[in-house]
Amino acid sequence: MSFPGSLAQAVKHQKRPPAIVLCTALTGLATVRALASQGVQVHALVFDKKDPLRLSRHPHAIHLLPEGLSDTALVQFILNYAKRLAQRPVLMATSDRQVMALAQHAQALSEAVHWWQTDLPTLSTILEKNRLYLHADGLGLPTIPSTPCTDLPTVSAWCARFPGPYLLKPSYVGCADAKLTEKNKVFANSTSLLAFLSATGSQAVLVQQLMAGGDGEIFDTYGFCDAKGQIVCLSTHRRLRQLPPDLGSTTYGEIPARLGQAEGLILGQARVLLQSLHYHGIFGIEWLRDRATNRFYLIDFNARPFSSIGHLRDCGVNLPWLAYQELVGERAVGLPLVPALQHRYWIDLFRDSQSLQCPRTIKSSSAPSRWQTLKQASSFAYWEWLDPGPAMLKTATLLWSKALRSKGLLQRLL
């Protein structure tokens, strides 16, 4: 009885434009899976020859690009590739650097692909942390004390007002001008911070006072804004463990965040921020909760899909598909602003094992034990029953790497 409808749906999917996804690690894999699950033909551009995506059954095509490819060369490759496709494709980027690179070539890309139309000045306000914090301060949203590293005397004077420890951050992850390649680097005091800046330079970095929070007290608001800048949907996420511990990306988390009455507060702050911008696309806004005051401090804004986007899909909201529909004029109707989600715990088994073995930088709230974690998790970073290849390749790669390290240690001992 259902066959005619299923056939009609399959035909409709075949007529839809394909998608080009610029893949960055786990985020790329999750975005490809989310689109392919709805019948979209996905062309994956990867930058790492070891990317587990290459054993996924979902992409229609996978192309390996050089890791050091310039932004101009990347855009030209996309333009040439899009012209070879039968229909104008949808384009999705999965890293901050990719988003900024594409925005700088907006006019040329708009003629060849469907993509999010947030202008470069708005993206700079969102992605460059100093500009984001200044903008948030103007809206009355809580931000952690910070300062751009313009010169050593200015940073030294700021440190005299705000005692350590400190976090040093690039303007945004992947910023080409920043000497710092890590997302966060911790310094116990101003002496060590200033010594590092003196040795490496202070271009395109920002220093921030390290506020107690860490694993279990970092939250995200996830969602999508349409071409008019209107919020289509919002949801919450809690980072129960991260790598690096307390300061990195999620290795074990939950959706929704189960914040109780505080959920209205964090969602309200996200709405204030988004309504002050004309943003178009998927977003993930990061907040730190001060347990003493229950205030949520703005940390970061991801203007793209994020590593937990597959987790959100497992809970009931497929953001890449929602964004795709809007870009091709098939916007979904009837979706509540804050959808009711199935509560699930998510885990990246490989990185969470590393996180558990690392010392904690901050005294964090309690988190489940390893056994509790495995028992609770029902959403997984790499494993998917209908697409086991990426998890199998990831496992084999790690085992081989461990074997090589063990062999090298044995040779040194002998």
Side-chain angles (χ1 to χ4, degrees), residues 280-292:
H280 182 205
I282 293 170
F283 61 83
I285 307 172
E286 185 178 341
W287 311 86
L288 180 150
R289 179 170 65 177
D290 182 352
R291 281 173 283 167

Side-chain angles (χ1 to χ4, degrees), residues 397-412:
T397 301
L398 290 175
L399 290 175
W400 178 248
S401 176
K402 185 176 180 180
L404 288 178
R405 289 197 300 270
S406 299
K407 182 179 179 181
L409 176 60
L410 180 60
Q411 289 174 342
R412 288 195 296 271

Side-chain angles (χ1 to χ4, degrees), residues 49-261:
K49 62 183 180 181
K50 297 180 181 178
D51 195 318
L53 181 66
R54 62 195 174 101
L55 281 194
S56 173
R57 70 180 186 86
H58 287 305
H60 174 77
I62 300 176
H63 294 270
L64 175 64
L65 300 181
E67 290 189 45
L69 191 68
S70 70
D71 294 343
T72 302
L74 172 62
V75 171
Q76 190 58 54
F77 181 91
I78 293 169
L79 292 174
N80 293 338
Y81 195 92
K83 290 175 184 177
R84 296 199 299 267
L85 299 176
Q87 298 183 70
R88 183 182 173 196
V90 168
L91 176 64
M92 291 192 187
T94 58
S95 78
D96 292 341
R97 182 168 184 174
Q98 292 167 0
V99 168
M100 290 293 279
L102 297 180
Q104 292 171 17
H105 299 81
Q107 185 172 353
L109 285 166
S110 295
E111 297 172 0
V113 301
H114 300 281
W115 73 301
W116 301 317
Q117 296 297 313
T118 307
D119 59 42
L120 186 58
T122 301
L123 280 175
S124 296
T125 297
I126 288 169
L127 293 179
E128 295 178 17
K129 291 182 176 61
N130 185 53
R131 296 185 64 177
L132 174 64
Y133 297 155
L134 288 173
H135 183 80
D137 288 339
L139 298 172
L141 297 174
T143 60
I144 302 169
S146 61
T147 184
C149 298
T150 52
D151 56 74
L152 292 182
T154 300
V155 176
S156 180
W158 182 86
C159 289
R161 294 177 54 209
F162 300 98
Y166 305 104
L167 282 178
L168 190 64
K169 303 182 172 187
S171 181
Y172 58 88
V173 176
C175 178
D177 296 331
K179 300 295 184 183
L180 184 69
T181 57
E182 302 170 68
K183 183 177 181 181
N184 295 299
K185 189 172 180 65
V186 180
F187 296 88
N189 50 54
S190 59
T191 302
S192 57
L193 170 65
L194 294 170
F196 179 86
L197 292 175
S198 178
T200 62
S202 57
Q203 190 173 5
V205 291
L206 171 141
V207 61
Q208 186 177 70
Q209 194 175 34
L210 180 60
M211 179 177 286
D215 292 353
E217 298 301 336
I218 306 296
F219 297 85
D220 300 278
T221 43
Y222 294 152
F224 174 71
C225 290
D226 64 19
K228 296 179 181 179
Q230 297 177 342
I231 306 170
V232 176
C233 69
L234 279 169
S235 57
T236 59
H237 169 254
R238 185 178 188 180
R239 304 185 184 195
L240 295 170
R241 274 196 297 271
Q242 302 167 92
L243 186 69
D246 306 309
L247 302 170
S249 57
T250 310
T251 65
Y252 179 62
E254 66 173 332
I255 294 178
R258 288 182 169 178
L259 278 164
Q261 293 183 344

